[in-house]
Amino acid sequence: MKTSPSLTRHDGSPLRVLVVDDEPNIAELVRMALRYEGWEVDVAHNGTKAVATAKTNRPDAVVLDMMLPDIDGMETLRRLRGHLP
């Protein structure tokens, strides 16, 4: 039987991913797939919400749509990098 590696941080807390997509159906499909693989998943539907969520929840990874309704994906990425280690 194949066992998948544990998706945890060094302190034992689960790895977190932030999914950013303005299409709710796409965001939900990605969220479900990642949760199935063991990730803790947060979802944001625009860049502003993504930055606010990242400040609070400190994701280990981000799945980022480039075409967002408020600020584009590249600007969202710049802002995220400014708030994450």
Side-chain angles (χ1 to χ4, degrees), residues 19-54:
V19 175
V20 187
D21 198 303
D22 60 322
E23 294 289 333
N25 292 337
I26 293 172
E28 179 61 17
L29 285 170
V30 175
R31 184 193 71 79
M32 287 179 3
L34 290 168
R35 284 186 53 117
Y36 179 79
E37 293 297 327
W39 291 85
E40 289 291 323
V41 182
D42 296 307
V43 174
H45 297 293
N46 62 53
T48 304
K49 178 69 174 167
V51 173
T53 301

Side-chain angles (χ1 to χ4, degrees), residues 9 11 13-19 39-42 49-62 79-85:
R9 296 175 177 165
D11 65 2
S13 63
L15 285 176
R16 297 191 76 85
V17 62
L18 173 60
V19 175
W39 291 85
E40 289 291 323
V41 182
D42 296 307
K49 178 69 174 167
V51 173
T53 301
K55 285 181 188 178
T56 303
N57 295 344
R58 316 288 295 173
D60 299 291
V62 178
R79 293 181 188 189
L80 287 170
R81 285 182 171 171
H83 293 288
L84 300 175

